Amino acid sequence: MDAGRSTMAEIMRAHDTPALVDYESNSEPSTDDPTTAYNNMIRHCMRLGNIQEGEALLRDMENCGVTPNVFSFNLVLNSYACKGDVQRSASLLDEMLDRNITPNDVTYATVCKVMAFNGQVRQIEEFMELLRQRDVKLNVYFYGALISACGRMSPPDVATAERTFSELVQMGLKPQSVKRCLARAVGVSRASAMISRACQHNAANNNNENHQTPLPVKALPKRDCGFTSQLNSSRKVNTFRKTAPVQMLPYSFGGMPEIIRLSF
């Protein structure tokens, strides 16, 4: 990794990655190709805590003519993130981009996770702003990482944690998802009160949406215009019924794949 690219945001800018994210494809396809087989072995090593052996398998893939994909790097990246190893995580992100492997939302959330482990509040804010500029939709894991970083500062950054939580609620994300990290940042009693108010606010909004007055159905004009008589003459009977339009509720995707389990 170049010395000039010391932060995750600088790495992203240096590569000018489009950062297109498919939130519906967060898990690796179940196939029997060699890449998936290697990824399963790497995943097994990471679960046992053998990071070096897992990364060695990543390096061995090319020697065997197997091309690593984004899931291969995410597995190793997440293991270093759990240890708070910023330099190794940044190096892996840099290598991914050098190989023209497009990161996905798991990659970005893992990057924020490692910075949260080290209390790098401003760096996470800068990284999240860069992702917004590149049309990446931020989910609860990004906001949770930022709040977690606020709690790891000494003293905790209460103002930023509360502001981030308010933004999370405005985005329609689940406030209970960040309960632990919010309690660390603002205190247990304060966090409980904030989450309780947010849940009550969401429940009130949902209740209002469920009890909306249906749109009035305009009565059909009582005019024959010769249409009914034509039907009767041809001995055909049709029954028409007009109903109010069905209101479609917005659907939101949630959850993350098994290869990364963030602990806020």
Side-chain angles (χ1 to χ4, degrees):
M1 182 178 63
D2 295 342
R5 301 187 215 160
S6 56
T7 68
M8 304 294 186
E10 289 172 351
I11 292 173
M12 294 289 294
R13 292 194 185 96
H15 289 273
D16 194 26
T17 308
L20 298 178
V21 177
D22 183 1
Y23 282 87
E24 299 183 51
S25 303
N26 281 333
S27 58
E28 187 174 14
S30 178
T31 59
D32 296 328
D33 67 288
T35 301
T36 302
Y38 262 99
N39 289 348
N40 289 333
M41 291 189 291
I42 295 174
R43 182 181 292 105
H44 180 69
C45 291
M46 297 311 174
R47 287 176 176 173
L48 296 177
N50 299 328
I51 302 179
Q52 287 74 20
E53 185 175 347
E55 186 172 3
L57 286 170
L58 178 66
R59 306 302 171 198
D60 189 55
M61 293 176 73
E62 281 191 302
N63 298 332
C64 297
V66 180
T67 304
N69 57 18
V70 63
F71 303 99
S72 312
F73 278 91
N74 282 346
L75 288 165
V76 182
L77 181 63
N78 182 58
S79 297
Y80 281 113
C82 291
K83 287 194 166 187
D85 193 334
V86 177
Q87 291 299 322
R88 197 72 199 97
S89 300
S91 178
L92 283 169
L93 176 63
D94 198 27
E95 183 179 348
M96 286 181 64
L97 299 175
D98 281 335
R99 291 169 175 261
N100 293 323
I101 298 177
T102 302
N104 60 11
D105 56 333
V106 179
T107 312
Y108 296 133
T110 307
V111 167
C112 290
K113 175 182 178 180
V114 67
M115 290 189 288
F117 189 91
N118 293 274
Q120 297 177 320
V121 174
R122 301 300 168 244
Q123 289 86 343
I124 296 177
E125 287 184 316
E126 181 185 8
F127 190 74
M128 290 173 63
E129 180 58 31
L130 179 62
L131 295 179
R132 290 190 189 95
Q133 294 173 5
R134 301 189 178 195
D135 297 326
V136 176
K137 185 178 180 180
L138 304 180
N139 56 29
V140 68
Y141 292 91
F142 293 94
Y143 291 100
L146 181 53
I147 295 175
S148 180
C150 294
R152 290 184 177 273
M153 294 186 67
S154 183
D157 189 345
V158 177
T160 302
E162 293 183 348
R163 173 173 51 80
T164 304
F165 180 79
S166 298
E167 185 177 347
L168 177 149
V169 174
Q170 292 175 2
M171 294 293 293
L173 303 175
K174 294 182 179 180
Q176 303 94 328
S177 302
V178 296
K179 181 178 180 179
R180 287 177 55 190
C181 60
L182 185 64
R184 183 185 303 162
V186 303
V188 176
S189 59
R190 174 65 175 162
S192 298
M194 292 172 62
I195 293 175
S196 177
R197 284 199 303 269
C199 292
Q200 292 175 3
H201 180 267
N202 291 342
N205 288 341
N206 292 335
N207 187 55
N208 292 335
E209 290 179 0
N210 294 333
H211 291 81
Q212 288 182 351
T213 304
L215 297 176
V217 179
K218 187 177 180 180
L220 295 176
K222 297 181 178 181
R223 292 189 301 174
D224 192 337
C225 298
F227 182 63
T228 305
S229 59
Q230 293 177 12
L231 290 178
N232 292 334
S233 62
S234 59
R235 304 183 64 83
K236 294 181 180 179
V237 179
N238 289 328
T239 302
F240 297 89
R241 182 176 62 180
K242 186 174 182 181
T243 59
V246 178
Q247 296 182 357
M248 300 299 295
L249 297 178
Y251 181 82
S252 60
F253 298 100
M256 297 291 283
E258 187 181 18
I259 63 174
I260 170 174
R261 296 185 182 276
L262 302 180
S263 298
F264 297 130

